[in-house]
Amino acid sequence: MPSTRSVPVTLAEIARIAGVGRAAVSNWRRRHDTFPARIGGTDASPQFSLAEIERWLRENDKLKEIGGRELLWPGFEALGSRDETGLAIAEAGRRMLGGQTSASAAPLSERAGELVDEAVALGRREGAREVFEFLLQRWLDAHVRQVSASPRPLADLMAEVALAARPSPAGAGEATVLDPACGAGHLLDAAARAEAGAGAARVTLLGCDSDPALAALAAARLAFVTDEASATGKTGKAGAGGVRVTADVREGDSLRADPHGQAAADVVLCNPPFNERDWGYEELSTDRRWVHGLPPRTESELAWVQHALARLRPGGTAVLLLPPAVASRRAGRRIRGALLRAGLLRAVIALPPGCAQPHSVSLHLWLLRAPEGTGPAEDNGVLLADAAASRRAAASREGGVDWDALGEFVRTAVRAYDSGAAELPDCARRMAVIELLDDEVDLTPGRHVSPAPGGDELDLESAWSGFGEALDGLRAAGRALSALETAGDGGGSQPRTTVGDLARAGALTLHGGQQPPDGTVRGGEAGEDGLPLLTVPDLLQGGGPTGWLHASDVSDRGMLVVRPGDVVVAGVIRAFAAWVHQGPPTVLGAQLYALRVDPEKVDAWFLAGCLRAPSNGRQAGTHASSASRVDVRRLQVLQLPLAEQSRYSEAFRRLTEFEEYRGRLDELASRLSRDISDGLATGRLSAGS
């Protein structure tokens, strides 16, 4: 057995290798005396020898097709070093394509070399591209806090925008695409697909990154792109038939010592590092790229903007993903003004939160275009578009980004702007440069674009209709609740029990949520196998789940998934609540609990109504700190027969309806107030004669 298999694995990793849930592995461990003994870890989180686990799984015919790749990853992960793991994966990719070890590559340890050999052998059996992409994605997931990757839908959108904005698309000609901070090559990969789809005969991809592991991974990834493009051209398959793709990815700091300094690109795509202070301010103060002004020390993003412009050939376009502060920070107003006056900045598009890291921020796309001749650029104004405010583009599916709607909004806005059309989509506006050249030069789209630019978008009629329906519902629920009578003298002395007692009696089971491991929580749109994750911070912010987990991560780690009919309790005083879950299956985070009742003993609505009383939470609180927790087992419940619980249950349902209608009224009243105020102030509403 290769030494690379002598690494420890957890129950969750064994479950992933075997393609089953963690509970199944725990069951094997209890039922089979031959299951390998623990070699480390703790009783709660034991570790086992990967070599022994593989042998046992094979002998018991429990190794699924997924096992090959999953058996490989723990060895890479056990290398410990982020850089060595990344370089080993890159070396495996090179070797899978028949390439030689790069002369400049750092030498790998003996252990890493053995892993590379195993990966190459597995690639021959299961497909080289599939094995490489699997290892790359696992590496990115494991280091999600250190490596910021552009999600594929966003990378595709940026490439499409750059292509659509070019005055003379590549067509049957050649196209050179540069990413000066390429990371693992997501944007260049997207550019190759976009250019090939547009009919380019030859595409040259140039990349650079200062991180050796990322540069190596990008080079290996794009080697697969060039190899597949070549194979497609030879076989004459539809799509990218005949296109020739070449790639040149180098390690280096593009700002300080650009290895592609002599290149001229048709397209520059870049998701540069944000908020860097050590970007070379002192040594680059006299650099020729700062045509529009030396970027302040705190404005590294504007250094990347000017670097991109310096690498464009006449008529070329650049699309950069930037934090929203770049559009408004006072330190950068002089450079923003110079870019506007030169006609280089063509569009600023605000994206909905969740499109890329950091997921809580509405990032901006900046579209720049180099003049085609030596004269000044054509004055076509500046496109400001706020997809975050557009009801259509910001619509979400299960709390994530609706990429189809967002892509359609951005493409429509850019096409309409380029064609000179008078009509732009909602939340998009063409502004004359002179309108933006004030003391602030604030290019934030939300400052200039109305959330409802057209009269039909105001739609006060439907808002008033909804307001009336909510008001009627509130009145009906209020009438039902007003019929409740004060209990007699003995009302306050009714017997009570606790959640702990009910659990011991078998009337319910108590399950606790847990904190997901680092790197498993994802933002944006949930994939097909994704499950929404509800956390205490979500509740404190007054919303639903903002993140999601892969179903495999949930099952591997035995995380709690709440089902319809479960009673959910938030075990923190600041967010204390209890309710009957009625939505889709949802994973519960730390300090959230699910109570599953025996319907023949306890009514779920009755239980939730009793538990969520504020006084109940205070009495069960630990009060050990400012963030005091609730001991769910100590929460009290009226001790009533099931038939009487049903009567209370109906009252609790009415109370829930009352709260929901009240919240709906608050929301509609705020919307009406905002829309009427905007309508009156802009003249879209008339105050009458």
Side-chain angles (χ1 to χ4, degrees):
M1 186 68 60
S3 62
T4 51
R5 291 288 169 82
S6 300
V7 297
V9 289
T10 64
L11 290 173
E13 290 170 327
I14 297 170
R16 197 191 297 271
I17 290 168
V20 298
R22 180 172 173 173
V25 179
S26 298
N27 191 37
W28 295 342
R29 190 184 178 200
R30 288 193 302 269
R31 291 176 51 202
H32 297 275
D33 295 336
T34 57
F35 194 88
R38 167 186 148 194
I39 64 169
T42 64
D43 290 338
S45 181
Q47 293 180 335
F48 306 85
S49 164
L50 177 58
E52 295 177 6
I53 287 296
E54 181 186 0
R55 186 184 304 111
W56 188 88
L57 291 173
R58 292 190 186 281
E59 290 173 353
N60 289 271
D61 194 27
K62 296 185 183 297
L63 195 60
K64 308 295 183 184
E65 289 298 323
I66 194 175
R69 301 174 203 173
E70 293 291 353
L71 280 168
L72 193 59
W73 172 247
F76 279 95
E77 192 172 34
L79 291 175
S81 166
R82 182 197 78 118
D83 288 348
E84 184 177 24
T85 304
L87 291 171
I89 294 171
E91 176 64 18
R94 268 195 300 270
R95 294 260 304 278
M96 287 177 197
L97 289 172
Q100 299 298 318
T101 300
S102 172
S104 61
L108 297 176
S109 65
E110 181 181 353
R111 192 176 184 189
E114 293 175 353
L115 282 166
V116 170
D117 292 338
E118 290 188 48
V120 172
L122 185 64
R124 295 193 187 102
R125 297 194 302 271
E126 299 187 6
R129 179 73 184 263
E130 290 75 13
V131 171
F132 173 78
E133 289 288 352
F134 169 83
L135 294 172
L136 173 60
Q137 190 57 51
R138 280 298 179 85
W139 185 84
L140 290 171
D141 290 344
H143 305 289
V144 67
R145 292 190 175 183
Q146 301 169 322
V147 179
S148 178
S150 304
R152 178 163 178 166
L154 177 60
D156 289 340
L157 179 59
M158 292 174 65
E160 290 173 18
V161 168
L163 191 66
R166 281 165 58 187
S168 302
E174 300 182 359
T176 299
V177 183
L178 169 68
D179 185 348
C182 66
H186 293 74
L187 291 175
L188 291 173
D189 185 18
R193 293 193 302 272
E195 293 286 355
R202 175 170 179 161
V203 180
T204 301
L205 306 175
L206 305 177
C208 176
D209 202 281
S210 59
D211 186 314
L214 285 172
L217 287 166
R221 182 180 196 173
L222 296 177
F224 281 99
V225 174
T226 59
D227 182 71
E228 290 179 359
S230 175
T232 302
K234 291 176 182 177
T235 57
K237 294 179 182 177
V243 64
R244 180 183 176 188
V245 180
T246 58
D248 181 4
V249 179
R250 304 180 187 180
E251 178 190 342
D253 186 330
S254 291
L255 293 182
R256 287 186 169 92
D258 186 4
H260 297 298
Q262 304 304 314
D266 298 287
V267 171
V268 174
L269 299 175
C270 191
N271 177 2
F274 298 166
N275 302 317
E276 281 200 335
R277 295 298 182 97
D278 183 24
W279 59 268
Y281 174 78
E282 290 85 359
E283 59 264 45
L284 298 175
S285 60
T286 59
D287 196 282
R288 296 172 59 185
R289 288 170 293 181
W290 315 143
V291 175
H292 309 288
L294 172 64
R297 187 189 304 274
T298 57
E299 294 283 344
S300 62
E301 297 86 359
L302 290 177
W304 287 103
V305 167
Q306 294 195 73
H307 174 80
L309 286 168
R311 295 294 173 262
L312 284 177
R313 61 168 44 107
T317 58
V319 178
L320 285 82
L321 182 70
L322 301 174
V326 181
S328 60
R329 276 193 297 236
R330 191 168 182 81
R333 68 188 186 280
R334 183 167 55 88
I335 294 177
R336 293 195 299 271
L339 294 173
L340 291 173
R341 281 187 287 269
L344 300 172
L345 180 58
R346 296 306 180 96
V348 177
I349 302 169
L351 302 176
C355 288
Q357 293 176 306
H359 292 291
S360 60
V361 175
S362 173
L363 299 172
H364 289 180
L365 289 182
W366 279 35
L367 171 62
L368 303 110
R369 184 185 299 157
E372 291 193 71
T374 56
E378 178 187 357
D379 184 8
N380 196 28
V382 179
L383 171 67
L384 297 178
D386 192 353
S390 169
R391 293 169 187 166
R392 179 164 54 91
S396 61
R397 292 192 294 254
E398 299 180 6
V401 176
D402 187 337
W403 288 105
D404 291 337
L406 174 60
E408 181 61 26
F409 170 83
V410 174
R411 286 188 293 269
T412 301
V414 172
R415 290 193 192 108
Y417 164 77
D418 273 341
S419 66
E423 291 294 328
L424 292 172
D426 64 297
C427 300
R429 179 184 179 188
R430 185 197 312 272
M431 293 192 67
V433 169
I434 192 65
E435 295 181 82
L436 297 168
L437 292 176
D438 55 15
D439 290 341
E440 299 298 326
V441 196
D442 191 337
L443 305 180
T444 305
R447 303 281 173 83
H448 305 282
V449 177
S450 169
D456 57 335
E457 289 290 333
L458 206 52
D459 198 12
L460 292 179
E461 183 178 351
S462 65
W464 279 117
S465 175
F467 186 86
E469 292 174 2
L471 190 58
D472 290 341
L474 186 69
R475 286 172 176 156
R479 282 194 296 270
L481 293 173
S482 67
L484 297 176
E485 299 178 355
T486 304
D489 293 340
S493 59
Q494 288 189 2
R496 300 185 183 188
T497 187
T498 65
V499 169
D501 290 338
L502 290 173
R504 283 188 287 273
L508 59 82
T509 56
L510 173 62
H511 307 269
Q514 57 184 280
Q515 181 69 30
D518 289 346
T520 58
V521 181
R522 292 161 174 80
E525 180 183 351
E528 293 182 1
D529 65 341
L531 290 172
L533 169 69
L534 182 65
T535 65
V536 168
D538 292 335
L539 297 178
L540 290 172
Q541 294 170 10
T546 56
W548 61 277
L549 298 164
H550 280 300
S552 58
D553 289 328
V554 174
S555 61
D556 289 348
R557 293 165 174 81
M559 300 189 70
L560 172 61
V561 179
V562 65
R563 305 188 300 236
D566 287 348
V567 177
V568 181
V569 180
V572 179
I573 290 294
R574 290 186 302 158
F576 178 67
W579 66 93
V580 179
H581 181 71
Q582 296 177 294
T586 301
V587 184
L588 296 187
Q591 300 176 356
L592 293 176
Y593 303 85
L595 307 181
R596 291 191 178 133
V597 303
D598 180 345
E600 296 183 358
K601 297 179 180 179
V602 178
D603 183 290
W605 283 90
F606 165 77
L607 177 64
C610 288
L611 295 182
R612 72 165 175 254
S615 58
N616 203 359
R618 289 193 297 270
Q619 291 171 0
T622 61
H623 305 287
S625 67
S626 59
S628 55
R629 301 181 181 181
V630 174
D631 185 346
V632 176
R633 291 182 175 275
R634 292 172 52 195
L635 291 171
Q636 297 186 346
V637 183
L638 288 174
Q639 197 167 358
L640 299 174
L642 188 61
E644 195 168 349
Q645 288 181 28
S646 299
R647 293 197 296 272
Y648 276 78
S649 174
E650 182 60 29
F652 282 131
R653 285 176 185 264
R654 285 291 189 178
L655 180 58
T656 300
E657 290 177 2
F658 185 84
E659 293 170 346
E660 290 175 350
Y661 282 125
R662 180 189 62 80
R664 178 66 174 152
L665 274 174
D666 284 347
E667 177 187 341
L668 286 168
S670 297
R671 174 184 164 189
L672 282 164
S673 176
R674 182 181 63 250
D675 286 355
I676 291 173
S677 177
D678 278 345
L680 289 171
T682 58
R684 287 182 287 124
L685 284 180
S686 172
S689 56

Short mmCIF file of all heavy atoms in Angstrom, two decimals, residues 389 391 426-427 450-466 667-687:
data_model
loop_
_atom_site.label_atom_id
_atom_site.label_comp_id
_atom_site.label_asym_id
_atom_site.label_seq_id
_atom_site.Cartn_x
_atom_site.Cartn_y
_atom_site.Cartn_z
N ALA A 389 -30.88 47.15 -7.16
CA ALA A 389 -32.16 47.80 -6.89
C ALA A 389 -33.25 47.36 -7.85
O ALA A 389 -34.43 47.61 -7.61
CB ALA A 389 -32.00 49.32 -6.99
N ARG A 391 -35.95 45.22 -9.35
CA ARG A 391 -36.77 44.13 -8.80
C ARG A 391 -36.62 42.88 -9.63
O ARG A 391 -36.72 41.76 -9.13
CB ARG A 391 -38.23 44.57 -8.75
CG ARG A 391 -38.49 45.68 -7.75
CD ARG A 391 -39.86 46.28 -7.90
NE ARG A 391 -40.00 47.46 -7.04
CZ ARG A 391 -40.98 48.33 -7.16
NH1 ARG A 391 -41.89 48.17 -8.09
NH2 ARG A 391 -41.05 49.36 -6.35
N ASP A 426 -35.13 49.33 -16.56
CA ASP A 426 -35.34 49.96 -15.26
C ASP A 426 -34.06 49.92 -14.44
O ASP A 426 -33.26 48.99 -14.54
CB ASP A 426 -36.47 49.25 -14.50
CG ASP A 426 -36.11 47.81 -14.17
OD1 ASP A 426 -35.92 47.03 -15.12
OD2 ASP A 426 -36.01 47.47 -12.97
N CYS A 427 -33.85 50.92 -13.64
CA CYS A 427 -32.68 51.03 -12.78
C CYS A 427 -31.38 51.17 -13.57
O CYS A 427 -30.31 50.79 -13.10
CB CYS A 427 -32.58 49.86 -11.80
SG CYS A 427 -33.99 49.74 -10.70
N SER A 450 -32.94 56.02 -10.05
CA SER A 450 -34.15 55.86 -9.25
C SER A 450 -34.54 54.39 -9.22
O SER A 450 -34.46 53.70 -10.24
CB SER A 450 -35.30 56.68 -9.84
OG SER A 450 -36.52 56.33 -9.22
N PRO A 451 -34.99 53.88 -8.07
CA PRO A 451 -35.42 52.48 -8.02
C PRO A 451 -36.61 52.19 -8.91
O PRO A 451 -36.87 51.05 -9.24
CB PRO A 451 -35.80 52.28 -6.54
CG PRO A 451 -35.11 53.37 -5.82
CD PRO A 451 -35.02 54.51 -6.77
N ALA A 452 -37.36 53.23 -9.30
CA ALA A 452 -38.53 53.02 -10.14
C ALA A 452 -38.59 54.13 -11.19
O ALA A 452 -39.35 55.07 -11.06
CB ALA A 452 -39.80 53.01 -9.30
N PRO A 453 -37.76 54.05 -12.24
CA PRO A 453 -37.67 55.15 -13.19
C PRO A 453 -38.89 55.31 -14.06
O PRO A 453 -39.12 56.37 -14.61
CB PRO A 453 -36.46 54.77 -14.05
CG PRO A 453 -36.38 53.28 -13.96
CD PRO A 453 -36.85 52.95 -12.59
N GLY A 454 -39.69 54.29 -14.24
CA GLY A 454 -40.87 54.40 -15.10
C GLY A 454 -42.13 54.48 -14.28
O GLY A 454 -42.25 53.91 -13.20
N GLY A 455 -43.15 55.15 -14.81
CA GLY A 455 -44.40 55.28 -14.07
C GLY A 455 -45.06 53.94 -13.81
O GLY A 455 -45.70 53.73 -12.81
N ASP A 456 -44.90 53.00 -14.79
CA ASP A 456 -45.54 51.70 -14.60
C ASP A 456 -44.89 50.91 -13.48
O ASP A 456 -45.49 50.01 -12.92
CB ASP A 456 -45.49 50.89 -15.90
CG ASP A 456 -44.08 50.71 -16.41
OD1 ASP A 456 -43.23 51.56 -16.07
OD2 ASP A 456 -43.85 49.74 -17.13
N GLU A 457 -43.63 51.22 -13.13
CA GLU A 457 -42.95 50.52 -12.06
C GLU A 457 -43.44 50.94 -10.69
O GLU A 457 -43.20 50.27 -9.71
CB GLU A 457 -41.43 50.75 -12.17
CG GLU A 457 -40.77 50.04 -13.34
CD GLU A 457 -40.73 48.54 -13.15
OE1 GLU A 457 -40.73 48.08 -11.99
OE2 GLU A 457 -40.72 47.83 -14.16
N LEU A 458 -44.12 52.11 -10.62
CA LEU A 458 -44.58 52.59 -9.33
C LEU A 458 -45.64 51.66 -8.76
O LEU A 458 -45.61 51.30 -7.59
CB LEU A 458 -45.13 54.02 -9.49
CG LEU A 458 -45.08 54.92 -8.26
CD1 LEU A 458 -43.70 54.96 -7.67
CD2 LEU A 458 -45.53 56.33 -8.63
N ASP A 459 -46.60 51.27 -9.59
CA ASP A 459 -47.58 50.24 -9.25
C ASP A 459 -48.18 50.42 -7.86
O ASP A 459 -48.17 49.51 -7.03
CB ASP A 459 -46.91 48.86 -9.36
CG ASP A 459 -47.95 47.74 -9.45
OD1 ASP A 459 -49.14 48.07 -9.66
OD2 ASP A 459 -47.58 46.56 -9.30
N LEU A 460 -48.71 51.61 -7.61
CA LEU A 460 -49.33 51.88 -6.31
C LEU A 460 -50.62 51.09 -6.13
O LEU A 460 -51.00 50.75 -5.01
CB LEU A 460 -49.60 53.37 -6.16
CG LEU A 460 -48.37 54.28 -6.06
CD1 LEU A 460 -48.80 55.73 -5.94
CD2 LEU A 460 -47.52 53.90 -4.87
N GLU A 461 -51.29 50.80 -7.24
CA GLU A 461 -52.58 50.11 -7.14
C GLU A 461 -52.44 48.75 -6.46
O GLU A 461 -53.20 48.41 -5.55
CB GLU A 461 -53.18 49.95 -8.53
CG GLU A 461 -54.57 49.30 -8.51
CD GLU A 461 -55.17 49.19 -9.89
OE1 GLU A 461 -54.60 49.77 -10.85
OE2 GLU A 461 -56.23 48.53 -10.02
N SER A 462 -51.44 47.95 -6.91
CA SER A 462 -51.26 46.63 -6.30
C SER A 462 -50.79 46.75 -4.86
O SER A 462 -51.15 45.93 -4.01
CB SER A 462 -50.27 45.80 -7.12
OG SER A 462 -48.98 46.38 -7.07
N ALA A 463 -49.97 47.78 -4.57
CA ALA A 463 -49.51 47.97 -3.19
C ALA A 463 -50.68 48.30 -2.27
O ALA A 463 -50.79 47.77 -1.16
CB ALA A 463 -48.46 49.07 -3.14
N TRP A 464 -51.58 49.20 -2.72
CA TRP A 464 -52.74 49.54 -1.89
C TRP A 464 -53.67 48.33 -1.74
O TRP A 464 -54.27 48.12 -0.68
CB TRP A 464 -53.50 50.71 -2.49
CG TRP A 464 -52.91 52.05 -2.18
CD1 TRP A 464 -52.40 52.95 -3.05
CD2 TRP A 464 -52.77 52.63 -0.87
NE1 TRP A 464 -51.93 54.06 -2.39
CE2 TRP A 464 -52.15 53.89 -1.05
CE3 TRP A 464 -53.08 52.22 0.42
CZ2 TRP A 464 -51.86 54.73 0.01
CZ3 TRP A 464 -52.79 53.05 1.48
CH2 TRP A 464 -52.18 54.29 1.28
N SER A 465 -53.78 47.52 -2.82
CA SER A 465 -54.61 46.32 -2.73
C SER A 465 -54.06 45.35 -1.69
O SER A 465 -54.80 44.81 -0.86
CB SER A 465 -54.68 45.65 -4.11
OG SER A 465 -55.38 44.42 -4.03
N GLY A 466 -52.73 45.14 -1.73
CA GLY A 466 -52.11 44.27 -0.74
C GLY A 466 -52.24 44.81 0.67
O GLY A 466 -52.44 44.06 1.64
N GLU A 667 -44.30 46.27 6.19
CA GLU A 667 -43.54 46.25 4.94
C GLU A 667 -44.24 47.07 3.86
O GLU A 667 -43.62 47.89 3.16
CB GLU A 667 -43.38 44.80 4.48
CG GLU A 667 -42.68 44.65 3.15
CD GLU A 667 -42.68 43.20 2.66
OE1 GLU A 667 -42.91 42.30 3.49
OE2 GLU A 667 -42.49 43.00 1.46
N LEU A 668 -45.56 46.88 3.71
CA LEU A 668 -46.30 47.59 2.67
C LEU A 668 -46.40 49.07 2.97
O LEU A 668 -46.32 49.91 2.06
CB LEU A 668 -47.70 46.98 2.52
CG LEU A 668 -47.74 45.63 1.81
CD1 LEU A 668 -49.11 44.99 1.98
CD2 LEU A 668 -47.41 45.78 0.34
N ALA A 669 -46.57 49.41 4.25
CA ALA A 669 -46.64 50.82 4.61
C ALA A 669 -45.32 51.53 4.30
O ALA A 669 -45.31 52.65 3.79
CB ALA A 669 -46.99 50.97 6.09
N SER A 670 -44.20 50.86 4.57
CA SER A 670 -42.90 51.45 4.26
C SER A 670 -42.72 51.62 2.76
O SER A 670 -42.24 52.65 2.28
CB SER A 670 -41.77 50.57 4.82
OG SER A 670 -41.84 50.50 6.22
N ARG A 671 -43.14 50.60 2.01
CA ARG A 671 -43.02 50.68 0.55
C ARG A 671 -43.89 51.80 -0.01
O ARG A 671 -43.45 52.57 -0.87
CB ARG A 671 -43.42 49.33 -0.07
CG ARG A 671 -43.46 49.35 -1.59
CD ARG A 671 -43.95 48.02 -2.13
NE ARG A 671 -44.34 48.13 -3.52
CZ ARG A 671 -44.95 47.17 -4.20
NH1 ARG A 671 -45.22 46.03 -3.61
NH2 ARG A 671 -45.29 47.34 -5.46
N LEU A 672 -45.13 51.88 0.46
CA LEU A 672 -46.03 52.94 -0.02
C LEU A 672 -45.48 54.31 0.32
O LEU A 672 -45.51 55.23 -0.51
CB LEU A 672 -47.42 52.75 0.57
CG LEU A 672 -48.28 51.65 -0.07
CD1 LEU A 672 -49.45 51.30 0.82
CD2 LEU A 672 -48.75 52.10 -1.45
N SER A 673 -44.98 54.46 1.53
CA SER A 673 -44.43 55.75 1.94
C SER A 673 -43.26 56.14 1.06
O SER A 673 -43.15 57.29 0.61
CB SER A 673 -44.00 55.69 3.41
OG SER A 673 -43.40 56.89 3.81
N ARG A 674 -42.37 55.18 0.78
CA ARG A 674 -41.20 55.46 -0.05
C ARG A 674 -41.60 55.80 -1.49
O ARG A 674 -41.14 56.78 -2.07
CB ARG A 674 -40.28 54.24 -0.04
CG ARG A 674 -39.00 54.43 -0.84
CD ARG A 674 -38.14 53.19 -0.82
NE ARG A 674 -38.81 52.05 -1.44
CZ ARG A 674 -39.26 50.98 -0.77
NH1 ARG A 674 -39.13 50.92 0.54
NH2 ARG A 674 -39.84 49.98 -1.40
N ASP A 675 -42.50 54.97 -2.07
CA ASP A 675 -42.88 55.18 -3.47
C ASP A 675 -43.67 56.47 -3.66
O ASP A 675 -43.49 57.19 -4.66
CB ASP A 675 -43.69 53.99 -3.98
CG ASP A 675 -42.82 52.76 -4.22
OD1 ASP A 675 -41.59 52.88 -4.08
OD2 ASP A 675 -43.37 51.70 -4.53
N ILE A 676 -44.55 56.77 -2.71
CA ILE A 676 -45.34 58.01 -2.83
C ILE A 676 -44.43 59.22 -2.69
O ILE A 676 -44.56 60.21 -3.42
CB ILE A 676 -46.46 58.02 -1.78
CG1 ILE A 676 -47.51 56.95 -2.13
CG2 ILE A 676 -47.12 59.40 -1.70
CD1 ILE A 676 -48.57 56.77 -1.06
N SER A 677 -43.48 59.15 -1.75
CA SER A 677 -42.55 60.26 -1.57
C SER A 677 -41.73 60.48 -2.84
O SER A 677 -41.59 61.61 -3.33
CB SER A 677 -41.63 59.99 -0.39
OG SER A 677 -40.67 61.00 -0.24
N ASP A 678 -41.18 59.37 -3.42
CA ASP A 678 -40.42 59.49 -4.66
C ASP A 678 -41.30 60.00 -5.80
O ASP A 678 -40.87 60.84 -6.60
CB ASP A 678 -39.83 58.13 -5.06
CG ASP A 678 -38.53 57.82 -4.32
OD1 ASP A 678 -37.96 58.75 -3.73
OD2 ASP A 678 -38.12 56.65 -4.33
N GLY A 679 -42.53 59.48 -5.88
CA GLY A 679 -43.42 59.89 -6.96
C GLY A 679 -43.77 61.36 -6.91
O GLY A 679 -43.80 62.05 -7.94
N LEU A 680 -44.04 61.87 -5.71
CA LEU A 680 -44.37 63.29 -5.58
C LEU A 680 -43.17 64.17 -5.87
O LEU A 680 -43.26 65.19 -6.55
CB LEU A 680 -44.90 63.57 -4.18
CG LEU A 680 -46.30 63.02 -3.85
CD1 LEU A 680 -46.59 63.18 -2.36
CD2 LEU A 680 -47.37 63.73 -4.68
N ALA A 681 -42.00 63.73 -5.37
CA ALA A 681 -40.81 64.56 -5.52
C ALA A 681 -40.31 64.61 -6.96
O ALA A 681 -39.70 65.59 -7.38
CB ALA A 681 -39.69 64.06 -4.61
N THR A 682 -40.58 63.55 -7.73
CA THR A 682 -40.10 63.52 -9.12
C THR A 682 -41.17 63.91 -10.12
O THR A 682 -40.90 63.94 -11.33
CB THR A 682 -39.60 62.11 -9.47
OG1 THR A 682 -40.66 61.16 -9.28
CG2 THR A 682 -38.42 61.72 -8.60
N GLY A 683 -42.37 64.22 -9.64
CA GLY A 683 -43.43 64.64 -10.55
C GLY A 683 -44.18 63.50 -11.20
O GLY A 683 -45.02 63.73 -12.08
N ARG A 684 -43.89 62.24 -10.80
CA ARG A 684 -44.62 61.11 -11.38
C ARG A 684 -45.98 60.91 -10.73
O ARG A 684 -46.79 60.13 -11.21
CB ARG A 684 -43.77 59.84 -11.27
CG ARG A 684 -42.60 59.83 -12.23
CD ARG A 684 -41.80 58.54 -12.15
NE ARG A 684 -41.01 58.47 -10.92
CZ ARG A 684 -41.09 57.48 -10.05
NH1 ARG A 684 -41.93 56.50 -10.26
NH2 ARG A 684 -40.33 57.46 -8.98
N LEU A 685 -46.20 61.57 -9.61
CA LEU A 685 -47.52 61.60 -8.97
C LEU A 685 -48.00 63.04 -8.92
O LEU A 685 -47.22 63.96 -8.65
CB LEU A 685 -47.44 61.02 -7.55
CG LEU A 685 -47.34 59.50 -7.41
CD1 LEU A 685 -47.27 59.13 -5.92
CD2 LEU A 685 -48.52 58.80 -8.06
N SER A 686 -49.28 63.20 -9.15
CA SER A 686 -49.86 64.54 -9.12
C SER A 686 -50.60 64.74 -7.81
O SER A 686 -51.33 63.84 -7.35
CB SER A 686 -50.82 64.73 -10.30
OG SER A 686 -51.52 65.95 -10.18
N ALA A 687 -50.43 65.92 -7.20
CA ALA A 687 -51.13 66.23 -5.96
C ALA A 687 -52.54 66.76 -6.22
O ALA A 687 -53.25 67.12 -5.29
CB ALA A 687 -50.34 67.26 -5.16
#
